[in-house]
Amino acid sequence: MGSLDLSQLQHLWWLLVSVVGALFVFLTFVQGGQGLLLTIARTDTEKSLVVNSLGKKWELTFTTLVLFGGAFFAAFPLFYSTSFGGAYWVWMLILFTFIVQAVSYEYRRKPDNFLGAKTYEVFLFINGTVGVLLIGAAVGTFFTGSNFSLSEYNFVTWEHPGRGIEAAFSLFNLSFGIFMVFLARVLGALYLNNNIEHEVLIERTRDAAFKNLLLLLPFLLYVLYRLLVMDGYAVDPATGVVSLEKGKYLSNLLAMPINGLGFLLVGLVLVVWGVVATRFMASRKGIWFAGLGTVLVVLAVFSIAGYNNTAFYPSKFDLQSSLTIGNASSSHYTLATMSYIALAIPFVLAYVWYVWSLLDKRKLTEADLFVEGSDEKY
Amino acid sequence: MLEQLDVSQLNWARAQFALTAMYHWIFVPLTLGLSFLLAFFETLYVKTGNEQWKRITKFWMKLFGINFAIGVATGIIMEFEFGTNWSNYSWMVGDIFGAPLAAEGIFAFFLETTFFAVMFFGWNRVSKNFHLLSTWLVAIGSNLSALWILVANGWMQHPVGMAFNPDNARFEMQNFWEVLFSPVAMSHFVHTTSSGFLLSCLFIVTVCSWYLLKGRHVEMAKKSLAVACTFGIISAAFVGFTGDESAYVAAQVQPMKLAAMEGLWDGEINADLVALGIVNPAKKPGDDQDAFQIEVKIPYLLSLLANREFGSFVPGVNDLVYGNPEQGVMGAEEKIVLGKQAIHQLALYKKAQENNDDVVAAAALAAFSEHQDYLGYGYLNSAEETVPNVPLVFYSFHMMVVLGTLFPVLFAAILFFLYKKNLGEQKWFLRLGVLSVFLGYVASQSGWVVAEVGRQPWAIQGLLPVSIARTNLTTTTVQMTFFMFLIIFTTLLIAEVRIMTKQIQNGPEGE
Ligand code: HEM
C-alpha cells in the first residue's frame, strides 16, 4: 500500500467509499419496505411478518450508513467538514429520520411504549420516504453543486440561508431523491417477496415491485437526460483549477466504458430484469438481480462524479472552492494505513454473508410468529 | 482564521454536544457491560445444560435489546455531530481520526451488528455453540468500538503521533501506533469500559434487589446477582486502578485538569490531597481568597498520586496561568505570546506562498515551527481563559471517587449475604441496592464531566480551542437543533424507561 502514490490511493479510496455507498443503497430495501408497510400489510399478522422480516436487517443498513459517513470522514475529511458543517439542515433532518427509525422496531409492539404502535409505524414510514429522499437530494448536489466557499484554512462558509435544504428544491436533486425512494420500494418489495412465505404477501409484493418500477421510470429518465446534457465541474489535473465544462458527465460516461457507461446500463437492465422476472415469471429471486443492478448503478454514479478529473462536491458559489478527490483527501500516510485496515473488508463481507445465509435458510412463515420461545421478537 | 467570535453560539454548540453525549452515555455503558454478562450467563447455560440459565440469559437479553436500540439512536448523531457542529475541528483532525474510525467501522460495527442478529433471532436457527459464540462476539464487538472512539478522544486530550501541515492547515498523522497506544487513550479505554461493566452490574443489582424485596423470581435474582457481583468486584478493582492511572497521566499531560480536579490553586511541594471539601465558588485566578470553605486533607498524598513521588511539585491553577519559573512551569500568559507569534508567522507564510516568495516563506515557516506547540494559545484572549470550571470539575471528580470506593463494598456485601443465604431478609440493604444503578449513573456521568469540562477551553489540548473548532452557524440554528434533540431524546427516553420497567415487572418468561 505504501508503494502506491497519493493519487492512486485517492482513487482507491473513492472506490471504497463508492462500494460502501452502493451497498447502502442496495440495503435501503429496508427503508423501501417500511414505506410499503402501510399499503401491503393489512392484517396484524401480515404486518408482523413484514416488520419481523425487515427488523432483522435494519441494523445492517444503518451500520452501513454509519460506515459510509465514517469512510468519508476518514478518506475525504474535507468533504465531511464542508458538507456536514455547511449543508447543516439537510443532514440534520436525515439524521432525525434515522434516530426515530432506530427505536421503532424494538418499541413498536412492546407494552407501555408511550407513543403507541401507530406512531412508531409512522416513524418507519418517514424514514423510508423523507429520509431516502433527502439522501438522494444530497447526492444530487454532487452534480448540481452547492453554495459554499472555503477559507485559506479550508474552513467552510455556507452562502445560502437554506443551509442545505435548498438542495431539495432543485428539480434535478428532487428527481434524484424521488427516484431513490421508488428504487428503495422496488428493492423492498423484492426483498419481502423473497424472504417471506405467505401467499397474499407474495402476491402483493410482486405487484408493488412492478408498480414502483413504473413510478420510478419518469424520474430516472429525467435524471439521466439531465446528466447527459448538463454542464459539469471539471478540474485541470495540472493546475487544479476548476471550470464548467459542457457535457462533462456524458464524456465521463464515455471515458469509462466499464465502470461508467457499462455499469450504468447493465445495472439498469438488471434492476428491470429483477422486477420483470418477479412479476411475470413468478421468480422469487428478483432481489438478487435488482440488488446487484443497484450496486452497479451507484458505482457508475460515483465514478462519473469523482473520477476523470471531476469535482465531486462542486461549489457553484466559488468554483475554486470545489472539492475533488485530490484536494479533499487525507494524507498519504493515513490513506495507506487505512488501506491495510481495509484488507479486512473481504473477510467482513464473508462472515456477514455466511451468517445471513444461516439465518435466512428457512423463509419466514406465519407459524414462526406463534411458536413457543419464538425468535420473532418484533 | 477567526471570524468574530459569537460566544453564545459557542456555548449552545457545547451544550448540544454535552446533551447528546450524556444521553448517549446513559445507554452505552449498559451495552458494554450487559453484553459480557449475557455471555457469562449463556456460557453457564451451555456448560451446565440448566434451562434456568437460558431463561436468565433471555430475560437480560430482552432488556439489553431495549437499551441497545436507543443506544444506536443516540449514537448516530454523535458520529455526524463532529461534522455538523465542529466542522473546522473535523477538517483539522480528519487525517488523524480517519484511521481509528475506519478501523471501528470495519472491525467493530459489523461484528456487533451481525452477531447481534444471531443472538436475537438465532435461538432456533443456529446451533447452541454458534449462538454462544455470537453472544461473545457481540460483547467483543461493542467493546472494540469503544476502543476506537476512545483512541480518538484520547488523542484530543493529548495529541501525539502527528505533525501540523501549514500548507493545508491541518494535523497529519505520522505514526498510527503512537496514536493507538497513547497512554491517555489506553487508560481512558480501560477505565471507561470497566466502568461500563461496573454500571451494568449495578443495573442487575437494582433489578434483582427489587425482585427480592417483592419476593418474586427469587432463584433467578440470586443466580444473576452471584454472577453480577463477582464481575462487579473485579470491574470495580479495574476502575479504581485505571482511575488512578488516568489521574497520573492527566497530571503529566493536562496539569490544569488535575489542578481543577483537586481544587489546587497554588502549587505545592508535597501537595496534600483534598479528600472532601466545599469549594469557594467566588475564587478567581490570581486573587487571594481561600480556595475552600471547608476541607478535609490527607497530607502529601497528592504529590504521590500525581507524580508517584513524595517531595515532588504539583502545579496549581495560578502556576499554570501566570507561570512559576522557580519550578520550571511556563504560564499560559507566556504561551499566549508565543502562540500569537506562531499564528502571525503562519499568516506570513501563507501570504508569501501566494506571492511565490520562497525566501520569505521559508523564513516564516522556520519561525512558525519554533512556536507551533503553542499555536492554540494564540487564539485565546487572556490567560484566565485556560482555567476550566473548577467547582464543577472538583465536585464531579470527588463524587466519582467516593462512589467508586462504595461500589465494591456493596458487591462484597451482597456476595456475603448470598453466601450466608439470608440476602432476602436484609430489607434496608436491598432498598439501598435498588438505588445502586442511579448512583452508578451519577459516577459515570461525573467521569465524563471531569474528562471534558476539565480540559476546557481545548478541543485539542493546547492546539485548538473550542472557539475555533466550531462550525460557522448562527446561534438560532444551533438553539433549534438543541431543542429538537432535547425533545426527541427525552421522548424516547421516557418510552424506553416505561418499556423497560414494564418488562422488569413482567419478569422472565415462564416463571
Ligand atoms: C475509584 C475511583 C475512581 C478514580 C480514581 C477515577 C478517576 C478518573 C479520572 C482521573 C478521570 C478523568 C480522566 C481524564 O480525563 O484525564 C475519570 C474519568 C471517568 N471516570 Fe472515573 N474514577 C473512579 C471511579 C469511577 C467510577 C465508579 C465510574 C463509573 C461507574 C467512573 C467513570 C468514569 C468515566 C465514564 C470517565 C470518563 C472517561 C475517561 O476519561 O476515562 N469512574 N475517572
Side-chain angles (χ1 to χ4, degrees):
Chain A
M1 306 287 168
S3 65
L4 297 179
D5 70 24
L6 180 59
S7 161
Q8 285 168 323
L9 284 170
Q10 287 162 339
H11 280 75
L12 173 66
W13 273 91
W14 185 253
L15 175 68
L16 288 173
V17 168
S18 312
V19 169
V20 180
L23 290 174
F24 169 72
V25 178
F26 166 42
L27 291 169
T28 57
F29 67 72
V30 170
Q31 274 66 27
Q34 290 167 192
L36 292 172
L37 176 65
L38 300 175
T39 39
I40 58 171
R42 306 206 178 126
T43 67
D44 258 358
T45 307
E46 288 166 10
K47 242 187 214 169
S48 284
L49 282 171
V50 172
V51 172
N52 274 295
S53 171
L54 296 173
K56 292 177 189 170
K57 302 281 164 50
W58 77 265
E59 269 205 79
L60 197 56
T61 311
F62 197 95
T63 307
T64 310
L65 175 66
V66 171
L67 181 65
F68 183 63
F72 249 129
F73 189 11
F76 300 100
L78 193 55
F79 167 76
Y80 180 89
S81 63
T82 304
S83 183
F84 286 93
Y88 187 82
W89 276 113
V90 79
W91 292 116
M92 279 292 175
L93 292 181
I94 291 171
L95 289 176
F96 269 94
T97 75
F98 279 85
I99 290 172
V100 295
Q101 181 209 23
V103 292
S104 292
Y105 285 100
E106 183 73 35
Y107 293 1
R108 185 183 71 102
R109 291 238 301 188
K110 292 267 184 327
D112 246 356
N113 66 6
F114 187 46
L115 301 172
K118 194 88 209 154
T119 310
Y120 292 104
E121 284 162 21
V122 172
F123 284 169
L124 291 178
F125 183 80
I126 291 176
N127 173 248
T129 48
V130 182
V132 177
L133 182 119
L134 291 177
I135 290 180
V139 174
T141 62
F142 281 16
F143 301 99
T144 53
S146 310
N147 297 285
F148 65 87
S149 61
L150 295 180
S151 76
E152 56 180 326
Y153 297 96
N154 280 325
F155 292 172
V156 59
T157 307
W158 204 255
E159 308 284 356
H160 192 289
R163 289 228 65 133
I165 287 296
E166 71 279 6
F169 295 98
S170 125
L171 195 54
F172 178 87
N173 297 342
L174 191 61
S175 308
F176 202 98
I178 299 176
F179 161 70
M180 294 247 319
V181 172
F182 286 123
L183 178 65
R185 285 167 164 247
V186 168
L187 294 168
L190 293 177
Y191 163 77
L192 293 170
N193 183 275
N194 172 276
N195 196 249
I196 303 175
E197 201 61 64
H198 183 279
E199 239 170 77
V200 180
L201 282 177
I202 292 178
E203 191 71 32
R204 288 201 196 124
T205 49
R206 194 183 279 158
D207 285 342
F210 188 62
K211 262 191 217 142
N212 282 288
L213 180 71
L214 295 181
L215 288 169
L216 157 167
L217 280 177
F219 299 98
L220 171 67
L221 292 175
Y222 176 73
V223 167
L224 283 180
Y225 162 73
R226 287 287 305 145
L227 260 185
L228 297 184
V229 300
M230 75 205 286
D231 293 348
Y233 297 83
V235 53
D236 182 330
T239 59
V241 171
V242 177
S243 60
L244 274 174
E245 187 180 310
K246 276 224 160 341
K248 173 66 179 158
Y249 301 115
L250 175 60
S251 52
N252 280 1
L253 273 175
L254 300 176
M256 292 179 268
I258 298 177
N259 58 334
L261 193 59
F263 278 14
L264 184 65
L265 293 180
V266 175
L268 290 174
V269 169
L270 281 173
V271 172
V272 174
W273 173 249
V275 177
V276 169
T278 305
R279 175 70 177 74
F280 299 105
M281 295 169 211
S283 163
R284 302 281 301 278
K285 300 205 180 324
I287 181 67
W288 295 116
F289 295 102
L292 178 62
T294 302
V295 168
L296 293 178
V297 171
V298 179
L299 286 176
V301 168
F302 271 82
S303 293
I304 62 172
Y307 287 149
N308 200 32
N309 303 317
T310 312
F312 73 87
Y313 199 62
S315 168
K316 39 184 180 183
F317 177 85
D318 169 28
L319 283 185
Q320 302 321 317
S321 288
S322 301
L323 308 189
T324 67
I325 64 174
N327 68 15
S329 87
S330 283
S331 67
H332 185 274
Y333 180 86
T334 293
L335 290 178
T337 307
M338 295 195 311
S339 303
Y340 286 111
I341 296 172
L343 289 176
I345 291 179
F347 173 72
V348 172
L349 285 175
Y351 77 68
V352 172
W353 188 274
Y354 172 73
V355 164
W356 281 112
S357 57
L358 216 57
L359 287 180
D360 279 344
K361 210 154 46 192
R362 213 153 37 72
K363 291 195 192 301
L364 182 62
T365 65
E366 218 172 310
D368 286 320
L369 298 179
F370 303 108
V371 293
E372 169 81 22
S374 167
D375 287 339
E376 309 311 322
K377 62 176 195 143
Y378 301 135
Chain B
M1 200 157 180
L2 174 64
E3 291 109 60
Q4 100 207 104
L5 175 64
D6 180 348
V7 179
S8 84
Q9 189 267 340
L10 176 63
N11 286 337
W12 279 100
R14 284 182 56 202
Q16 179 169 320
F17 204 91
L19 174 86
T20 49
M22 288 175 99
Y23 262 106
H24 188 48
W25 195 246
I26 298 176
F27 315 107
V28 175
L30 278 186
T31 301
L32 296 178
L34 274 184
S35 58
F36 271 114
L37 284 156
L38 294 178
F40 298 154
F41 293 139
E42 194 175 341
T43 305
L44 285 165
Y45 161 59
V46 173
K47 287 270 174 252
T48 63
N50 181 345
E51 285 291 319
Q52 197 171 10
W53 283 116
K54 182 173 179 185
R55 268 202 302 278
I56 290 179
T57 312
K58 281 192 138 184
F59 171 66
W60 295 109
M61 197 175 279
K62 192 181 266 180
L63 303 188
F64 176 82
I66 295 165
N67 170 71
F68 190 84
I70 186 164
V72 172
T74 50
I76 188 167
I77 190 62
M78 301 304 306
E79 181 190 1
F80 292 100
E81 206 171 356
F82 290 129
T84 53
N85 287 16
W86 306 95
S87 65
N88 297 348
Y89 160 84
S90 297
W91 162 244
M92 293 182 83
V93 306
D95 196 62
I96 311 223
F97 274 29
L101 279 185
E104 177 172 18
I106 292 168
F107 293 133
F109 283 164
F110 282 92
L111 209 59
E112 202 176 351
T113 322
T114 309
F115 291 99
F116 178 91
V118 181
M119 200 165 97
F120 277 94
F121 310 114
W123 286 105
N124 302 322
R125 288 177 187 251
V126 302
S127 74
K128 238 184 189 181
N129 282 323
F130 189 77
H131 193 277
L132 177 62
L133 175 71
S134 303
T135 307
W136 275 99
L137 288 174
V138 169
I140 293 168
S142 35
N143 282 275
L144 253 187
S145 67
L147 168 69
W148 297 107
I149 193 64
L150 288 165
V151 165
N153 182 275
W155 187 87
M156 297 158 69
Q157 311 271 357
H158 179 48
V160 289
M162 58 84 195
F164 184 75
N165 179 345
D167 290 322
N168 51 16
R170 70 169 172 191
F171 302 99
E172 293 186 347
M173 189 157 67
Q174 305 289 313
N175 188 332
F176 177 66
W177 303 111
E178 235 180 278
V179 174
L180 180 55
F181 293 117
S182 136
V184 178
M186 283 301 125
S187 64
H188 281 220
F189 169 60
V190 188
H191 190 62
T192 308
T193 46
S194 53
S195 78
F197 302 162
L198 176 65
L199 189 97
S200 305
C201 296
L202 294 172
F203 174 73
I204 289 193
V205 169
T206 292
V207 175
C208 292
S209 300
W210 186 75
Y211 282 151
L212 291 177
L213 276 175
K214 297 266 163 199
R216 292 172 54 195
H217 315 301
V218 173
E219 237 354 83
M220 172 263 173
K222 285 184 183 164
K223 278 195 152 70
S224 302
L225 278 175
V227 174
C229 292
T230 311
F231 188 39
I233 287 208
I234 301 170
S235 308
F238 262 93
V239 167
F241 180 70
T242 55
D244 171 63
E245 176 70 18
S246 283
Y248 169 72
V249 175
Q252 311 307 308
V253 303
Q254 295 177 303
M256 182 63 91
K257 184 190 275 183
L258 186 87
M261 277 155 54
E262 277 305 319
L264 181 69
W265 287 84
D266 295 302
E268 294 165 20
I269 295 173
N270 274 331
D272 304 335
L273 184 91
V274 179
L276 292 171
I278 295 180
V279 279
N280 174 1
K283 173 95 180 141
K284 294 262 173 325
D287 69 15
D288 47 14
Q289 297 193 56
D290 285 339
F292 288 94
Q293 290 164 344
I294 304 173
E295 65 199 306
V296 181
K297 284 184 168 180
I298 307 176
Y300 302 166
L301 194 57
L302 183 57
S303 278
L304 184 65
L305 287 183
N307 298 327
R308 305 213 162 135
E309 192 185 338
F310 280 120
S312 62
F313 177 77
V314 182
V317 171
N318 287 329
D319 305 281
L320 295 163
V321 173
Y322 304 109
N324 182 339
E326 226 166 273
Q327 296 294 340
V329 178
M330 190 199 273
E333 273 185 335
E334 199 180 336
K335 291 182 183 174
I336 288 178
V337 175
L338 299 177
K340 295 219 185 285
Q341 287 179 18
I343 292 173
H344 177 65
Q345 296 297 340
L346 184 60
L348 282 184
Y349 171 73
K350 287 260 169 208
K351 187 114 232 130
Q353 267 201 324
E354 232 169 75
N355 303 337
N356 290 320
D357 188 341
D358 291 347
V359 181
V360 176
L365 192 58
F368 168 76
S369 321
E370 219 171 288
H371 303 309
Q372 63 169 331
D373 289 351
Y374 308 104
L375 181 66
Y377 287 90
Y379 296 107
L380 302 179
N381 296 317
S382 75
E384 286 75 14
E385 277 178 48
T386 59
V387 184
N389 184 329
V390 174
L392 182 57
V393 176
F394 175 88
Y395 288 127
S396 304
F397 179 65
H398 283 76
M399 203 119 70
M400 170 172 68
V401 176
V402 168
L403 290 167
T405 41
L406 175 79
F407 296 139
V409 178
L410 176 83
F411 293 129
I414 294 177
L415 286 176
F416 174 77
F417 291 129
L418 276 177
Y419 175 73
K420 288 274 171 196
K421 299 197 186 312
N422 60 1
L423 180 59
E425 294 148 35
Q426 318 298 329
K427 297 292 178 206
W428 56 269
F429 181 69
L430 289 173
R431 278 189 208 110
L432 176 73
V434 172
L435 277 183
S436 61
V437 76
F438 303 101
L439 297 178
Y441 273 124
V442 170
S444 197
Q445 299 276 359
S446 304
W448 277 115
V449 171
V450 175
E452 300 303 308
V453 177
R455 70 172 153 117
Q456 292 305 317
W458 301 114
I460 307 171
Q461 182 74 33
L463 295 175
L464 184 72
V466 284
S467 54
I468 304 293
R470 75 208 170 89
T471 306
N472 184 359
L473 288 162
T474 64
T475 309
T476 324
T477 307
V478 185
Q479 278 170 331
M480 275 167 76
T481 44
F482 175 90
F483 285 108
M484 280 166 71
F485 283 122
L486 183 65
I487 291 167
I488 187 106
F489 283 170
T490 307
T491 309
L492 296 185
L493 178 68
I494 294 172
E496 193 245 16
V497 169
R498 289 184 50 167
I499 293 171
M500 190 80 105
T501 31
K502 185 75 192 173
Q503 295 295 331
I504 292 170
Q505 272 168 17
N506 290 349
E509 279 161 36
E511 284 221 3

